[in-house]
Amino acid sequence: MNGPYKPGTPCWIDLMVPDQQAALDFYCDLFGWQGEVGPAEQGGYSVCLLKGKPVAGIMKAMNPDGTVPDPMPPTAWTTYLATDSIDSTLKSVTDAGGSVMMGAMDVMDLGRMAVITDPTGAVVGLWQAGTFDGAGIVNEHGALIWNELSTRDVPAAAAFYTSILPVTTARSEMPDAGEYTEFKVGDRAVGGMMDLAKLPAGVPPHWMPYFHVDDVDEIQAAAVRAGGNVMAPAFDMVAGRMAVLSDPQGGTFSVIKATAPEQPA
């Protein structure tokens, strides 16, 4: 990736965990990242690299004052959507029925961030780039390739996101994709959305990151050997072969070897 992400595009992901070093060890071994606990003045935040480019963040769960949360929040990946104005987007969030979990804050000269909840209960971040645009590599082995919202109310979620950011929604044009919905920025699909009813009972609304891998079955086996769990074993679907996994601390993510789109004859 060169240059800033267009507003509405997922541009970054990070993970908040009780044991930061254990998470770094797991993901660096699994995907070939390089990462270490960051400096104290940055709260220890770790920017993980692939081929020298940033691909994801990992941070220790803590309160703003540096104390350990009680109770500990669930381990979860957060997707960040690009915006060119955090303040105006946050106003749109509340106007559209969402809520602000974490108000706008400056991250040194890197940019500004906020965390919101959409009206269906899914948590998502916002990022206004300064000197840091977001993920520097995508769509390669070990890097982010897709972000997907699972929600109990697809129409309500579509109305919300299209009102706060310059995105549109459309039924997927992939063959056999059923009722799958895509988020688009311009003519480009940048994310997806599906009905939570298709997932096991009890799964809350959420945004899920997908990492591209060269061999889904090999990564699944490696994750299990490292103490992770398989939420949905490797299977073939319209977009490729994928699996849903969780790390040893419960952070859930998907891996996929995407099928190249067929070219017209």
Side-chain angles (χ1 to χ4, degrees), residues 148 176 180 194 198-200 208 210 213 215-218 220 230-245 253-259:
E148 181 179 84
D176 303 319
Y180 195 80
M194 61 180 287
K198 299 177 182 178
L199 300 180
M208 168 86 74
Y210 282 64
V213 296
D215 189 322
V216 169
D217 298 83
E218 183 178 283
Q220 176 178 289
V230 178
M231 313 304 289
F235 63 97
D236 295 312
M237 41 84 79
V238 62
R241 185 164 180 79
M242 67 168 286
V244 184
L245 310 173
F253 60 98
S254 291
V255 293
I256 186 168
K257 182 176 183 180
T259 302

Side-chain angles (χ1 to χ4, degrees), residues 36-63:
E36 58 186 25
V37 176
E41 59 268 25
Q42 298 176 18
Y45 191 93
S46 175
V47 175
C48 298
L49 306 177
L50 180 66
K51 301 179 182 178
K53 300 289 187 181
V55 288
I58 295 179
M59 58 183 163
K60 180 178 176 62
M62 64 175 67
N63 294 318

